[in-house]
C-alpha cells in the first residue's frame, strides 16, 4: 500500500491489468527535474487507458 501526494491510497491490486509508469525523483536532483517535461511528452504520446500515471505515487 502506498499513499499518493493527493492523499489517496494505492495498492498493487488496484493496478492489476494496467501498465504502470513509475518515476522516482526528488527536487534536489537537477537531472531528474530536467527530465520531467520529456517524461510528460512520452506519457502524452503513448497514453493508453490502461496506463496508470503514478508520478504522484511516491
Amino acid at each position: 500500500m502506498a499513499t499518493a501526494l493527493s492523499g489517496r491510497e494505492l495498492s498493487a491490486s488496484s493496478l492489476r491489468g494496467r501498465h504502470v509508469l513509475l518515476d522516482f525523483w526528488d527536487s534536489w536532483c537537477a537531472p531528474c527535474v530536467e527530465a520531467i517535461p520529456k517524461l510528460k511528452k512520452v506519457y502524452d504520446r503513448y497514453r493508453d487507458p490502461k496506463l496508470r500515471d503514478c508520478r504522484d505515487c511516491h
Side-chain angles (χ1 to χ4, degrees):
M1 186 70 70
T3 303
L5 292 175
S6 64
R8 75 179 187 281
E9 290 187 348
L10 295 170
S11 66
S13 62
S14 71
L15 302 172
R16 183 169 294 152
R18 295 177 173 261
H19 301 103
V20 180
L21 174 62
L22 296 173
D23 181 28
F24 296 95
W25 61 276
D26 209 326
S27 58
W28 55 262
C29 176
C32 300
V33 173
E34 290 173 15
I36 292 171
K38 294 174 190 169
L39 183 61
K40 181 169 178 359
K41 282 183 183 180
V42 170
Y43 173 77
D44 290 341
R45 181 175 181 181
Y46 296 104
R47 188 173 185 138
D48 179 295
K50 288 186 173 184
L51 179 64
R52 175 59 193 250
D53 178 8
C54 283
R55 285 177 287 180
D56 69 338
C57 297
H58 74 241

